[in-house]
Amino acid sequence: MYFLFVRDAVICLLEDLTIILYLVESTGILTELDRVKLSGRGTGKQGAIAWAGNSLAIITGDLSVRIWDIERSDNYLLKMDQSNSCHLAGMSSSLATSSSNNNNHNHNNISTGILFSPESSGESNGNLTRKVSKYTQLASNEIFTCLAYSTSNQTLCAATNLGNLYTWKRTLSCFVGAPEDAWQLGNISTLSRQGAVKSCTWGFNELSKPCILANCLSSVYMLKEQPLLAAHTRSLWAVQSSAKCVQLTHCSGRQCTVQADFAVTALALNELNLVVSNGRSISTYSLQRVEKTLDEFEEILEASGVGVGSTGSSSSASPPSLSVKLLQTFSGECLALGLQHQNIFCLNSSDIVVYSVGGVVLHRIMGNDVEGKIIGMDLTGCYLAVFTMNGYVKAYDVTRHDPKLLFPSKSGHEIFDDFGEFIVVKCNSLGSHLGVVIANSSFTPCASIYCWDFERNNLFEYDLTRSQPETDTDSRSSLAVRIFWDTEEPRLLAVEIRSMVMQKLPKQQQLQVPTPSHYVESQILVMFYSDKTDGKLNVLESQNISQGAQLLNLCVPSVVCVQVNAVQEQPLQDFADLQQCDAVTRRQVLNFSLHVAEGQMDLAFRCVRSIRSKVIWTNLARMCVHTSRLDVAKVCLGHLEQARSVRALRQAMEDDDLELEAKVAVLAIELGMLEEAKDLYKRCQRHDLLNKLLQSTGQLDEALKLAETEDRIHLKHTYYQKALALRESGDLKGALDYYEKTQNPVQHITQLLLEHPLAMKRYIQSTTDPKLLRWWGQYVESSGDMDAALAVYSKAEDWFSQVKILCYLGKISKADAIARQSGDRAACYHLGRHYENVGKFQEAIMFYTRAQTFSNAIRICKENDFQEELWTVASSSRSRDKAIAAAYFEECGNFRHAVELYHRAGMLHKALEMAFESQQPEILEIIASELNAESDGELINRCADFFGSIEQHQKAVQLLAKTKHLERALSICVEKGVPVTEELADLLTPSKGDLPETMRLSILVQLGDLLQQQGDYHSATKKFTQAGDKVRAMKSLLKSGNTDKIIFFATMSRQREIYIMAANYLQSLDWQSDPMILKHIVGFYGKGQAFDSLANFYAICAQLEIEEYQDYAKALVAMQEAAKCLEKLSHAQHAYNKLQRTVADVKCILEMQQSLQAGDNLSVIAACRSMLLKPELPPIRHAHILAMLVRALVYAKQFPEAGRALKELAVKDNSWSASGLVDRALVQRVAKECDLDFELIWNSGRQTNNSATTTTTRAQSTISMTTTTNTTTTSDDEADDEEIREELN
């Protein structure tokens, strides 16, 4: 009886093997919930129950254990057979990363829950197959007598009446299909061969680890759980089969069992020796060296039926056994063992002792106070890795008598950022790197694998949390439990990963709770390091392992695992068909794998050129899909002897219309990589090829979705393929629906339903497809039922078929109405033939015309001389029919209709000849308006001559210009004076490419001259510009007098001559009152580099300032600008010097004016008299100096002298008073003081001269101080000056 605390229930087993479940009420009353009657050979006294987690374990007096899952209301029997192999399934490969590692002799303890009794011995030879068969053939009288379950390790044990103890371990490795698969039978221990096991129970030993206490009548046994020991080398491996027995197996198939004198807790193995220990004593054994050829091995294996990597044997012919000899047993504390040649490395509680196989102490490796005592070691080949209590690690080379330290001991705190302690430390076969698993500062194991290059102090890391991210359905936490370097390749290592997967169940499912929410997964990662990976370990491939299997060694070409006393070798992916290969091939294939993982296709290809392995070439070809190396892929397919695939790939490579991704997709399809092919087609947007791939692989629904969204051009074909698939599957209704969506459903639907007449008739009655109805009408018509066929044709709106049947039935009026109303050409033609046959020609002509069969209508008109009808029909007919009708009219003498029809038919020559002969100018004008540049030149000239003969030169020019006869058109314009409008000028302008460039420019110049003669200067300028003659264009524009256009044209032309011409023109305008014109004059002279003209302009400005305003200050500024211009002329030195003298005189006058304003009259008087002694040189005038002298004398009160100066002024300038040189008041004062007649004096200065003569004289005198540009110079300054003056004049 058991009490269930969770459900407040009691479970009872009755004598008749009935199990009752009672609910315990709060009042203590028992309420029966369930009752189960069990079947069994015994009674209730021979039965027993035990609570096993959430289930009830039951025995009923036979050799079976039944589990009753109360929560699920399910029951099942536990399996009584053991797994004989470690099935490694789901092997995957990571081709994105690469490297390699190796390790030579590995001998390690494998922690498997195996229970060994003290009396379990080697009487069983340890062969698991034989052992299983022993217990499979169960004695009929053996029954289970008692049960016990341990909740700590979830193990159920059941004892029998023959002294055997069975143990099942409940696993959470994965979700299983059947609940009984979660229980795995472990070791079967024999406790007593004379007595039965009366009772058994679980307890704990001194280390708080679970153990079993078994009462066997005469004695009581305690069974403890210890790790399963195993060791592996390339040719030899050892597995502990019982507490004192170790089974040795050679790769040749030879086996033997070593019986130790004590329970084995540590084990070490190499090719020559076996070492075992129980923690207090060490025994060494010598092994026979096996030297057999490979042929002999194969014969032995074939005879024994043993595969490489398996310790089982099922053949009656047993292979020879191994020879094992005990060498020595000696005392020594031992926590871990290592064996290298003849040296034994033994880890005790404080240090490492090195023994010989005879038990002699050779060396001792001890820790110091700083490092702490040694707590862990590992021996890989000839390199020993050691870590201490205080977190220090070091490695030794043990090939010599005294171990050699490879590097100074290093603290884990210096290597890792977050470090607590070392868990596993292993050295590779080269002695250059350490594989490390650590705990963090909180002493929690880190979910990372480290590889430390102690020679370069580089740390490689692989983060398990990043490599196995959480998903929406589960989350996982992973830890590395074992690490093994490869026995030969120093870069390659294998890591066993245990992952706890927590399933994220929905809330509704969490409330039901029928399934566990977590489970454990085991996985082996084959990894490697590389200097090219920036501190990251790369995964070469991964292999899933089943529950109970554990990693034992990495020995290329295989990953070695152990499960239930069985050693299993699972080859690496690239060694699938190369397990039995020599060392050279093994090295080549391994290098190939690493190069492929690194993406180095060329190096990988070189490694396997001579290897004949379809797996290798297949893997290389698959890698070519990721690297897009089609050249290498073609070679790989050739080695795979796939001629069809090579041909398909070569055709794809030669197709220039295919993108690179599409070509690679062809390779992926040939290799069966359909998902990769889909991704490639999507990447290059080749939805048509993707649709074709989906159709060929039977994924029609996905193909339909793609066609409806991306590949609509093949939508109807996709519908057709879907219809075919439904037709083959017998779904006629679905096939009909998709046939209706195709482009031509009639053919397919009729073929589909032709064998089902009734279904065909029902479908036709419900359809509205005209094509399908027309087919059905033809089918009915072929059977002779004309009325039914007419009804079907009417529903299908097939007018021709209706008219045909009505004519056949003689219902002409109804057929005529249908033909007139529908306008169907076929119906009209059929009815027209009928009318022609019965002699109704007018009706026949009408229906032939409606049917657009004009030749038949014209034929009837000609035969019956219907000219009016012929003209009507021919006007709307084809060109060929028009020509036929025109020839008929020509024969009849009707030239007007003939000419017009010939013209409409495109026979222009014929039409012109006839028009000339029949004198029809109006037709000629119409024909000429339709001529173009592609028309016949002779025809164009004839029309032009005709227009000239009737004095219509404007039309002749228009025709010639339109047809690009430009030279003749221009000649007519010149000879006949035809005015050229803007539209005609555009027609006369040749386009680039129509004529040779010289001829085109010549025509443009002629056209420009013509336009200039007619006064259209703007259009002439445009034509000259198009001809590239901008100078003539500017001259034409100057004649127009449009100042704005002249300025714009000069600005855009950017030519020196045009700048000068524009400035000269602007200078002729009223630039004194318009500052913008003045600015453009200066700018244009400057851009045209006409510094002589610019200097002359500045001189004129100075002259005007003096003459008009007596402003010598502004005149001085203008003269200085003129001097700057003359400085830029090398041949104007004489003019420059003369100008400088004039500038000096002007400055002197300005000083005199300043002195006069300051009141220094005497100095002004002296200066004026000095200036008057000099000859008068423009622009300085003596009249201005005399006026200043008069003012100074008056201010100095020298009135007589002022009077004389005033008389002299009147002599010099008879308009001095009119020009305001002297104030009137000042003159009155002089006249008063000198007693002179004021009116006489004042009027003497009011006489005027011819302004034009004065201005010309002054301009000529002004120009004498400037110069102009000349291409020739002389050394004589006077001659040069005279030449410049003449040029300016």
Side-chain angles (χ1 to χ4, degrees):
M1 182 175 65
Y2 278 95
F3 179 73
L4 279 70
F5 293 95
V6 178
R7 302 183 61 177
D8 291 334
V10 175
I11 298 178
C12 300
L13 176 63
L14 305 183
E15 290 186 354
D16 59 350
L17 298 180
T18 300
I19 297 178
I20 304 176
L21 176 63
Y22 293 100
L23 176 64
V24 181
E25 302 288 347
S26 59
T27 59
I29 300 175
L30 298 180
T31 302
E32 182 178 333
L33 295 178
D34 199 359
R35 179 187 292 265
V36 178
K37 179 66 173 68
L38 303 177
S39 61
R41 294 185 300 177
T43 63
K45 295 182 179 179
Q46 295 176 334
I49 59 175
W51 187 247
N54 297 327
S55 305
L56 186 68
I58 308 168
I59 57 175
T60 57
D62 55 6
L63 196 64
S64 64
V65 178
R66 182 173 296 275
I67 301 295
W68 181 22
D69 192 337
I70 299 175
E71 293 183 353
R72 301 183 183 179
S73 299
D74 189 15
N75 68 90
Y76 50 87
L77 291 175
L78 295 184
K79 295 182 179 180
M80 298 298 294
D81 57 337
Q82 293 173 306
S83 299
N84 191 29
S85 63
C86 174
H87 182 65
L88 301 177
M91 181 181 68
S92 63
S93 174
S94 174
L95 297 177
T97 55
S98 65
S99 187
S100 63
N101 301 323
N102 271 336
N103 167 336
N104 209 345
H105 299 295
N106 284 291
H107 12 270
N108 295 272
N109 298 340
I110 306 299
S111 298
T112 304
I114 301 298
L115 293 166
F116 293 130
S117 66
E119 294 186 0
S120 296
S121 65
E123 295 181 7
S124 171
N125 64 355
N127 188 319
L128 181 60
T129 305
R130 295 180 180 179
K131 187 171 185 178
V132 173
S133 63
K134 170 183 175 181
Y135 290 103
T136 304
Q137 301 171 359
L138 300 172
S140 60
N141 59 348
E142 185 176 14
I143 61 174
F144 285 122
T145 58
C146 56
L147 284 172
Y149 180 76
S150 172
T151 57
S152 61
N153 58 1
Q154 300 189 23
T155 303
L156 175 68
C157 67
T160 69
N161 59 344
L162 298 183
N164 295 323
L165 187 67
Y166 292 74
T167 57
W168 290 268
K169 192 173 183 65
R170 190 176 186 178
T171 63
L172 295 176
S173 61
C174 58
F175 291 112
V176 293
E180 58 268 24
D181 294 337
W183 296 88
Q184 184 177 8
L185 179 63
N187 193 45
I188 305 175
S189 303
T190 301
L191 302 180
S192 175
R193 298 192 181 279
Q194 284 78 23
V197 179
K198 183 179 180 180
S199 64
C200 61
T201 184
W202 283 90
F204 297 93
N205 59 9
E206 66 277 4
L207 298 177
S208 298
K209 294 184 178 180
C211 62
I212 301 176
L213 297 176
N215 183 4
C216 296
L217 298 179
S218 60
S219 59
V220 176
Y221 295 94
M222 183 179 71
L223 289 79
K224 66 177 181 178
E225 186 179 18
Q226 78 168 47
L228 172 65
L229 303 179
H232 181 273
T233 65
R234 184 172 292 278
S235 60
L236 185 66
W237 50 89
V239 180
Q240 185 181 15
S241 57
S242 64
K244 298 181 181 180
C245 295
V246 176
Q247 181 174 346
L248 292 174
T249 304
H250 194 269
C251 62
S252 63
R254 297 188 179 190
Q255 300 177 354
C256 73
T257 301
V258 177
Q259 180 70 33
D261 297 333
F262 44 75
V264 179
T265 60
L267 173 67
L269 176 71
N270 62 15
E271 303 292 342
L272 301 176
N273 299 99
L274 170 68
V275 180
V276 296
S277 174
N278 64 347
R280 297 177 300 275
S281 300
I282 299 173
S283 296
T284 61
Y285 297 87
S286 175
L287 305 180
Q288 175 191 9
R289 182 183 294 272
V290 179
E291 295 181 356
K292 291 286 185 179
T293 62
L294 186 60
D295 294 337
E296 293 175 316
F297 286 164
E298 291 177 353
E299 292 176 0
I300 294 173
L301 294 176
E302 184 178 359
S304 60
V306 178
V308 175
S310 174
T311 61
S313 176
S314 59
S315 176
S316 58
S318 60
S321 61
L322 289 173
S323 175
V324 180
K325 179 182 178 181
L326 177 63
L327 295 179
Q328 185 67 37
T329 300
F330 54 91
S331 300
E333 182 183 2
C334 179
L335 301 177
L337 280 177
L339 182 61
Q340 199 273 330
H341 293 303
Q342 300 292 320
N343 295 340
I344 302 171
F345 293 82
C346 178
L347 174 65
N348 54 33
S349 58
S350 60
D351 53 15
I352 298 175
V353 181
V354 183
Y355 296 98
S356 67
V357 292
V360 178
V361 177
L362 302 178
H363 194 78
R364 190 180 296 272
I365 301 175
M366 304 177 63
N368 52 38
D369 295 337
V370 177
E371 299 171 354
K373 65 178 182 179
I374 299 174
I375 60 173
M377 77 165 191
D378 178 79
L379 182 63
T380 304
C382 58
Y383 297 99
L384 177 68
V386 175
F387 57 93
T388 66
M389 179 68 75
N390 294 342
Y392 282 82
V393 64
K394 48 188 175 180
Y396 294 91
D397 182 359
V398 297
T399 55
R400 304 179 183 179
H401 182 270
D402 295 330
K404 178 184 177 182
L405 189 64
L406 296 179
F407 61 90
S409 61
K410 191 131 184 174
S411 173
H413 297 282
E414 300 177 7
I415 305 174
F416 308 99
D417 296 333
D418 186 11
F419 175 76
E421 65 177 358
F422 287 103
I423 298 177
V424 178
V425 177
K426 289 181 179 288
C427 187
N428 66 347
S429 60
L430 189 60
S432 60
H433 292 70
L434 293 179
V436 181
V437 178
I438 65 170
N440 56 25
S441 56
S442 60
F443 296 98
T444 302
C446 293
S448 297
I449 304 165
Y450 297 97
C451 177
W452 180 42
D453 181 3
F454 52 79
E455 293 181 350
R456 302 179 182 178
N457 196 24
N458 291 335
L459 186 65
F460 300 91
E461 179 184 4
Y462 182 79
D463 191 350
L464 297 176
T465 59
R466 296 181 180 177
S467 62
Q468 299 175 340
E470 297 184 2
T471 62
D472 296 335
T473 58
D474 58 54
S475 62
R476 62 181 63 212
S477 58
S478 303
L479 294 175
V481 295
R482 291 173 186 84
I483 294 179
F484 290 93
W485 291 93
D486 185 68
T487 55
E488 294 177 356
E489 175 55 49
R491 295 177 293 171
L492 201 64
L493 74 157
V495 183
E496 182 181 349
I497 306 297
R498 292 285 178 88
S499 301
M500 177 65 73
V501 182
M502 304 296 294
Q503 189 179 29
K504 299 177 182 178
L505 299 176
K507 292 184 178 180
Q508 298 178 355
Q509 191 172 351
Q510 289 178 2
L511 296 176
Q512 299 175 1
V513 195
T515 57
S517 61
H518 65 278
Y519 59 95
V520 178
E521 282 186 349
S522 297
Q523 188 182 29
I524 296 176
L525 298 181
V526 181
M527 313 174 72
F528 66 96
Y529 67 85
S530 175
D531 296 333
K532 303 176 182 179
T533 55
D534 297 331
K536 299 293 182 182
L537 284 173
N538 300 322
V539 177
L540 182 62
E541 65 178 73
S542 62
Q543 299 180 0
N544 294 329
I545 57 176
S546 60
Q547 168 60 23
Q550 296 175 350
L551 180 62
L552 177 59
N553 194 10
L554 175 60
C555 186
V556 173
S558 302
V559 175
V560 184
C561 296
V562 61
Q563 181 182 27
V564 193
N565 299 358
V567 175
Q568 184 72 19
E569 294 184 355
Q570 177 64 32
L572 297 176
Q573 182 179 9
D574 291 334
F575 290 90
D577 56 351
L578 291 173
Q579 293 177 261
Q580 304 297 330
C581 60
D582 53 17
V584 176
T585 303
R586 186 166 62 246
R587 168 62 63 178
Q588 291 177 347
V589 176
L590 181 59
N591 289 336
F592 161 79
S593 301
L594 299 179
H595 289 319
V596 167
E598 291 177 345
Q600 300 179 2
M601 299 299 301
D602 295 332
L603 297 178
F605 178 70
R606 294 173 189 170
C607 293
V608 294
R609 280 183 176 178
S610 59
I611 296 179
R612 294 186 173 273
S613 170
K614 290 190 176 182
V615 174
I616 292 295
W617 291 108
T618 301
N619 291 339
L620 184 57
R622 293 172 68 88
M623 188 60 191
C624 291
V625 175
H626 301 282
T627 59
S628 303
R629 289 294 302 272
L630 298 179
D631 52 344
V632 178
K634 188 165 63 174
V635 177
C636 296
L637 294 177
H639 282 276
L640 292 174
E641 299 178 357
Q642 297 182 7
R644 185 187 63 82
S645 300
V646 174
R647 178 175 176 269
L649 181 59
R650 184 174 64 250
Q651 290 178 349
M653 294 172 64
E654 293 174 354
D655 190 352
D656 296 334
D657 296 333
L658 286 180
E659 297 81 358
L660 177 60
E661 291 84 355
K663 297 178 182 179
V664 178
V666 173
L667 172 62
I669 293 172
E670 296 298 329
L671 295 174
M673 302 171 65
L674 299 182
E675 294 300 326
E676 288 80 357
K678 293 179 185 177
D679 294 339
L680 288 167
Y681 281 141
K682 291 177 182 178
R683 196 185 309 165
C684 64
Q685 301 293 320
R686 289 304 300 267
H687 303 291
D688 54 338
L689 299 178
L690 178 58
N691 189 1
K692 186 177 180 181
L693 174 61
L694 294 173
Q695 292 179 24
S696 63
T697 55
Q699 304 177 45
L700 293 176
D701 293 335
E702 188 176 352
L704 281 174
K705 293 180 181 178
L706 178 67
E708 290 171 352
T709 56
E710 303 291 345
D711 188 29
R712 296 192 63 85
I713 193 172
H714 296 102
L715 179 59
K716 294 181 179 179
H717 180 264
T718 309
Y719 286 147
Y720 173 71
Q721 294 296 330
K722 180 65 175 179
L724 286 181
L726 293 175
R727 179 180 179 181
E728 293 176 0
S729 63
D731 188 0
L732 298 183
K733 185 177 182 304
L736 285 174
D737 293 339
Y738 281 103
Y739 275 137
E740 290 175 353
K741 297 179 180 180
T742 59
Q743 186 175 7
N744 187 20
V746 178
Q747 178 182 1
H748 309 301
I749 292 177
T750 54
Q751 290 178 357
L752 180 65
L753 298 179
L754 194 59
E755 299 176 358
H756 306 81
L758 295 178
M760 169 77 78
K761 189 172 183 180
R762 286 196 300 270
Y763 183 80
I764 293 299
Q765 291 175 352
S766 62
T767 187
T768 58
D769 186 7
K771 294 183 180 179
L772 195 59
L773 289 173
R774 189 179 300 114
W775 178 87
W776 179 249
Q778 293 172 356
Y779 180 79
V780 174
E781 182 183 353
S782 65
S783 64
D785 190 354
M786 296 298 178
D787 294 333
L790 183 62
V792 175
Y793 286 140
S794 177
K795 183 179 179 181
E797 296 182 354
D798 187 357
W799 313 113
F800 165 69
S801 299
Q802 293 182 55
V803 169
K804 180 180 65 174
I805 291 180
L806 290 173
C807 290
Y808 176 78
L809 297 175
K811 300 178 180 180
I812 306 302
S813 59
K814 190 174 183 179
D816 187 283
I818 291 175
R820 289 175 183 272
Q821 183 178 0
S822 65
D824 184 71
R825 293 178 58 186
C828 292
Y829 177 76
H830 186 82
L831 190 58
R833 289 185 61 189
H834 177 78
Y835 279 130
E836 183 182 0
N837 292 332
V838 299
K840 295 182 178 181
F841 299 113
Q842 294 292 339
E843 289 82 354
I845 292 172
M846 181 189 67
F847 281 105
Y848 277 142
T849 304
R850 286 194 175 189
Q852 298 183 12
T853 56
F854 302 105
S855 58
N856 291 323
I858 291 174
R859 174 176 52 80
I860 294 175
C861 292
K862 290 172 62 177
E863 291 175 355
N864 297 276
D865 196 21
F866 297 156
Q867 292 192 13
E868 292 299 327
E869 289 80 357
L870 178 60
W871 168 251
T872 304
V873 172
S875 298
S876 58
S877 64
R878 298 171 298 178
S879 298
R880 178 175 174 274
D881 297 328
K882 286 184 175 68
I884 295 174
Y888 177 77
F889 281 121
E890 185 180 0
E891 292 177 0
C892 297
N894 192 346
F895 298 108
R896 184 178 63 83
H897 286 168
V899 170
E900 190 166 349
L901 288 176
Y902 277 134
H903 173 223
R904 293 183 183 182
M907 303 174 65
L908 299 181
H909 284 281
K910 185 70 174 176
L912 285 175
E913 290 289 345
M914 191 170 293
F916 288 144
E917 293 176 1
S918 60
Q919 293 295 319
Q920 301 182 46
E922 63 279 1
I923 299 296
L924 284 175
E925 290 185 11
I926 297 174
I927 295 175
S929 64
E930 297 179 0
L931 296 176
N932 53 32
E934 285 75 21
S935 301
D936 186 12
E938 182 181 356
L939 185 63
I940 294 170
N941 291 325
R942 291 189 63 182
C943 289
D945 293 339
F946 175 77
F947 287 128
S949 63
I950 60 177
E951 297 298 329
Q952 294 185 3
H953 303 290
Q954 183 74 26
K955 293 183 179 180
V957 172
Q958 195 79 16
L959 173 63
L960 293 172
K962 182 179 178 181
T963 56
K964 300 304 178 182
H965 291 63
L966 304 180
E967 292 182 347
R968 185 178 177 187
L970 285 174
S971 64
I972 294 175
C973 289
V974 173
E975 293 174 0
K976 304 299 181 179
V978 178
V980 180
T981 62
E982 184 175 358
E983 180 182 358
L984 182 58
D986 292 336
L987 290 175
L988 292 171
T989 302
S991 301
K992 289 185 177 180
D994 293 344
L995 297 173
E997 189 64 19
T998 55
M999 184 180 295
R1000 173 178 168 273
L1001 297 179
S1002 175
I1003 291 174
L1004 287 172
V1005 171
Q1006 293 178 23
L1007 180 59
D1009 291 336
L1010 179 61
L1011 290 170
Q1012 193 172 359
Q1013 291 174 6
Q1014 295 181 358
D1016 191 354
Y1017 300 109
H1018 177 68
S1019 298
T1021 301
K1022 183 177 178 181
K1023 301 309 170 185
F1024 285 135
T1025 304
Q1026 291 177 349
D1029 193 349
K1030 294 184 178 181
V1031 175
R1032 298 184 68 175
M1034 187 63 182
K1035 290 179 180 179
S1036 177
L1037 194 58
L1038 290 175
K1039 293 179 180 179
S1040 67
N1042 193 328
T1043 304
D1044 295 336
K1045 291 184 178 180
I1046 291 171
I1047 293 174
F1048 176 78
F1049 185 81
T1051 304
M1052 299 303 295
S1053 64
R1054 298 180 182 179
Q1055 288 188 7
R1056 180 175 179 272
E1057 296 83 356
I1058 294 176
Y1059 283 137
I1060 297 173
M1061 293 170 67
N1064 292 338
Y1065 168 78
L1066 294 176
Q1067 193 174 349
S1068 65
L1069 303 178
D1070 186 13
W1071 52 267
Q1072 296 92 340
S1073 59
D1074 193 344
M1076 291 304 298
I1077 295 178
L1078 176 63
K1079 179 180 178 181
H1080 283 303
I1081 293 172
V1082 175
F1084 287 156
Y1085 277 138
K1087 292 178 181 179
Q1089 297 183 358
F1091 301 112
D1092 50 355
S1093 300
L1094 183 58
N1096 187 46
F1097 178 71
Y1098 280 128
I1100 294 174
C1101 291
Q1103 181 71 28
L1104 290 176
E1105 290 294 338
I1106 294 174
E1107 292 289 342
E1108 298 293 337
Y1109 309 106
Q1110 294 86 40
D1111 191 346
Y1112 281 88
K1114 291 184 179 180
L1116 177 62
V1117 175
M1119 291 180 182
Q1120 289 175 347
E1121 293 295 331
K1124 292 179 181 179
C1125 296
L1126 293 176
E1127 286 179 354
K1128 299 177 182 179
L1129 300 174
S1130 60
H1131 61 279
Q1133 187 63 36
H1134 178 73
Y1136 177 75
N1137 295 334
K1138 187 176 181 180
L1139 180 61
Q1140 289 297 328
R1141 290 192 295 269
T1142 305
V1143 169
D1145 291 341
V1146 172
K1147 288 180 179 180
C1148 184
I1149 294 174
L1150 289 174
E1151 291 176 0
M1152 291 163 54
Q1153 291 177 352
Q1154 292 175 0
S1155 299
L1156 184 61
Q1157 293 176 0
D1160 191 2
N1161 299 323
L1162 297 179
S1163 61
V1164 173
I1165 294 171
C1168 288
R1169 289 176 176 175
S1170 177
M1171 288 290 293
L1172 291 173
L1173 296 176
K1174 298 180 182 179
E1176 184 179 20
L1177 295 176
I1180 299 174
R1181 296 181 58 199
H1182 282 181
H1184 295 168
I1185 299 174
L1186 288 171
M1188 190 184 302
L1189 178 60
V1190 169
R1191 287 194 294 271
L1193 290 172
V1194 171
Y1195 294 154
K1197 297 181 179 182
Q1198 298 180 12
F1199 297 107
E1201 294 295 332
R1204 287 192 292 271
L1206 195 58
K1207 292 179 181 180
E1208 187 176 355
L1209 174 61
V1211 174
K1212 289 288 186 182
D1213 188 0
N1214 53 11
S1215 61
W1216 60 271
S1217 59
S1219 60
L1221 292 179
V1222 181
D1223 294 337
R1224 182 183 182 90
L1226 195 64
V1227 175
Q1228 288 178 352
R1229 186 176 178 184
V1230 172
K1232 183 180 179 181
E1233 292 293 337
C1234 295
D1235 193 16
L1236 298 175
D1237 187 357
F1238 167 75
E1239 293 296 334
L1240 180 62
I1241 297 173
W1242 184 255
N1243 291 331
S1244 66
R1246 297 184 62 84
Q1247 299 180 12
T1248 57
N1249 298 327
N1250 193 335
S1251 58
T1253 306
T1254 305
T1255 303
T1256 303
T1257 305
R1258 290 173 182 175
Q1260 290 176 354
S1261 61
T1262 302
I1263 291 171
S1264 63
M1265 71 176 182
T1266 61
T1267 184
T1268 185
T1269 305
N1270 195 356
T1271 56
T1272 60
T1273 59
T1274 62
S1275 59
D1276 190 357
D1277 294 339
E1278 294 180 357
D1280 182 72
D1281 186 43
E1282 182 64 21
E1283 183 179 356
I1284 293 172
R1285 186 180 297 109
E1286 290 177 0
E1287 183 178 351
L1288 291 177
N1289 291 333

